[in-house]
């Protein structure tokens, strides 16, 4: 007969093993995607890919620098609008959680979170492109900002709610006005999490293709004009991947890899910039 | 009792909606004394304490009837700012509440930076003096820029004490300041309370009757929201006038 102890230990091993398998299954897709990106895309990666415009069909070389710039600009403007709005709405919904407006806002945000991104693109098309009668990068930014607001809002709300009431009380008891308590103490305490949530939102919209198809449209040229069509990495990937030439397919892989790298660099940079700095004790 | 009256309540009721947590309390707290509030859980002593710096009203639905006078002036009068009041009446809570994103020095300076434009060297001076008064200076002087979260619970509580005395309030409210501390940390805080009454008027809520007996000059016993007995600490603990007070301090209930 097996001892109870051995039985318990055996059960524990089986359970821990099952959890390990679950973790592997969960992260496997990520590694498969990254691996195929590197295998298919890394061979065409070169300096010129980062600094040049696309070469005409038939010629080799060329790059996606115009699309890197475009993605940074479109996503940058979307973030500048979407993140502050989302953070502010999130703070409201958490600090004034009992109000009817908070309830409505939360509900609308959840619906918006579940809305397909192409629908949001269509909205931006109707509002901006159709009224202005031309495609523009700004329309793309607006579509992306729409997608960011509910994501940023919900994370901010959850994180602000986690700030213990005792900290709010401590600040109020020191003579902080309510608005300063919220801004300085509550927001500052929740900031690392809000940064993470915002970065996830940035990463997600940086890869969105559908809302840009009929707003920013895409372009073959360098452009700083938000009022004109602009290139973006997802659009480049879409164009090259659905194109007829094998070289284009290769470029699509490489552009995808670049997109992942851009998101990675943004993540690291934002984390370094908002890191908590203390002297060594 | 001696000295001018620093803080006084007149017919004070503290309510949450319809429920009166504190009923008709009239008390006088002379300056530079330690005043202990004792009583079983839920007797209203913490709620009473929180009416003194108008923290009570930060809870939704909470309101008061009656008066609270600081140096003879009603702190609930029209035009009195609770924000200004809280700079004159500091508070330390049950659990240490250092701001996690601030360094040790910045925590102490938090109350100084609200709207006053003190220059850096002046702030550094006040930070040092406050930490010395809270008996924490020697332990943290070499790591003022480090996170306050690296301190022990007892050190964090003394840091909170330093933070509340830095803006030079007249009164310090202590809401069970040693409830989460070990005996050593408790002893340090008690010694501090005894020293700090030279400069401040202190009102302390405590569950620990030995603590009340050790640190306070006057003691008030609360029961079911009402003030049962108030007097010199010695008298309350050796010759209580009320039967309920005697029952409580001898441990027969509560």
């Amino acid at each position: 007969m097996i001892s109870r102890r051995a039985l318990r230990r055996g059960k524990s091993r089986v359970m821990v093993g099952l959890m390990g398998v679950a973790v592997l299954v969960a992260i496997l897709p990520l590694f498969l995607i990254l691996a195929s990106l590197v295998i298919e895309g890394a061979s065409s990666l070169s300096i010129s890919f980062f600094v040049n415009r696309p070469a005409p069909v038939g010629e080799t070389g060329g790059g996606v620098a115009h699309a890197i710039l475009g993605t940074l600009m479109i996503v940058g403007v979307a973030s500048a609008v979407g993140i502050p709005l989302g953070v502010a709405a999130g703070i409201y919904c958490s600090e004034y959680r009992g109000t009817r407006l908070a309830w409505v806002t939360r509900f609308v945000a959840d619906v918006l979170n579940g809305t397909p991104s192409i629908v949001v693109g269509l909205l931006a098309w109707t509002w901006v492109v159709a009224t202005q009668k031309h495609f523009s990068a700004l329309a793309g930014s607006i579509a992306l900002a729409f997608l960011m607001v509910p994501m940023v809002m919900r994370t901010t709300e959850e994180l602000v709610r986690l700030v213990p009431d005792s900290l709010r009380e401590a600040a109020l008891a020191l003579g902080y006005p309510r608005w300063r308590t919220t801004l300085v103490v509550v927001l500052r305490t929740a900031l690392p999490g809000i940064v993470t949530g915002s970065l996830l939102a940035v990463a997600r919209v940086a890869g969105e293709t559908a809302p840009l198809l009929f707003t920013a449209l895409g372009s073959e040229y360098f452009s700083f004009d938000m009022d004109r069509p602009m290139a973006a990495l997802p659009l480049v990937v879409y164009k090259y991947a659905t194109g007829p030439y094998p070289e284009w397919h290769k470029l699509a892989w490489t552009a995808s890899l670049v997109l992942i790298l851009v998101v990675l660099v943004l993540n690291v940079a934002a984390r370094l910039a908002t890191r908590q700095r203390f002297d060594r004790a | 009792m001696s000295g001018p009256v620093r803080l006084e309540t007149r017919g004070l009721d503290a309510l949450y909606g319809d429920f009166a947590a504190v009923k008709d309390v009239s008390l006088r707290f002379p300056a530079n004394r330690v005043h202990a509030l004792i009583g079983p859980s839920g007797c209203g002593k913490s709620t009473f304490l929180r009416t003194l710096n108008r923290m009570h009203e930060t809870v939704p639905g909470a309101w008061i009837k009656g008066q609270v006078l600081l140096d003879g002036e009603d702190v609930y009068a029209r035009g009195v700012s609770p924000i200004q009041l809280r700079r004159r009446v500091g508070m330390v809570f049950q659990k240490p509440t250092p701001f996690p994103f601030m360094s040790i020095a910045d925590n102490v300076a938090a109350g100084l930076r609200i709207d006053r434009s003190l220059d850096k060297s002046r702030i550094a001076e006040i930070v040092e003096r406050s930490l010395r008064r809270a008996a924490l200076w020697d332990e943290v002087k070499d790591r003022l820029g480090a996170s306050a979260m690296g301190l022990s619970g007892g050190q964090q509580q003394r840091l909170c004490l330093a933070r509340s005395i830095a803006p030079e309030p007249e009164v310090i409210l202590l809401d069970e300041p040693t409830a989460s501390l070990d005996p050593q940390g408790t002893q340090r805080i008690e010694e501090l309370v005894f020293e700090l009454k030279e400069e401040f008027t202190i009102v302390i809520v405590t569950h620990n009757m030995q603590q009340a007996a050790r640190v306070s000059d006057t003691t008030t016993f609360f029961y079911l929201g009402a003030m049962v007995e108030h007097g010199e600490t010695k008298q309350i603990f050796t010759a209580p006038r009320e039967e309920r007070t005697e029952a409580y301090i001898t441990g027969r209930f509560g």
Side-chain angles (χ1 to χ4, degrees), chain B residues 1-10 12 25-33 35 37 48-54 67-76 85-86 88-90 170-174 200-204 218 220 230:
Chain B
M1 275 183 244
S2 62
V5 174
R6 178 71 77 210
L7 203 56
E8 181 178 355
T9 67
R10 287 186 190 159
L12 184 76
V25 175
S26 298
L27 278 172
R28 293 166 146 226
F29 299 117
N32 300 105
R33 292 287 201 98
H35 308 278
L37 310 177
F48 173 78
L49 191 77
R50 291 165 59 90
T51 62
L52 302 178
N53 63 345
R54 296 186 61 173
Q67 284 184 312
V68 177
L69 307 173
L70 176 62
D71 296 324
E73 282 171 46
D74 187 358
V75 305
Y76 284 91
L85 171 73
R86 290 178 198 140
R88 294 170 64 193
V89 183
E170 294 157 52
V171 181
I172 302 174
L173 309 177
L174 304 170
F200 307 96
T201 304
I202 295 169
V203 185
I204 177 170
T218 74
T220 310
H230 172 76

Side-chain angles (χ1 to χ4, degrees), chain A residues 9 18 28 33 175 182 204 206 212 219 225:
Chain A
R9 199 180 282 179
L18 283 176
L28 195 63
I33 292 169
T182 303
R204 224 207 85 187
L212 297 182
S219 150
D225 189 354

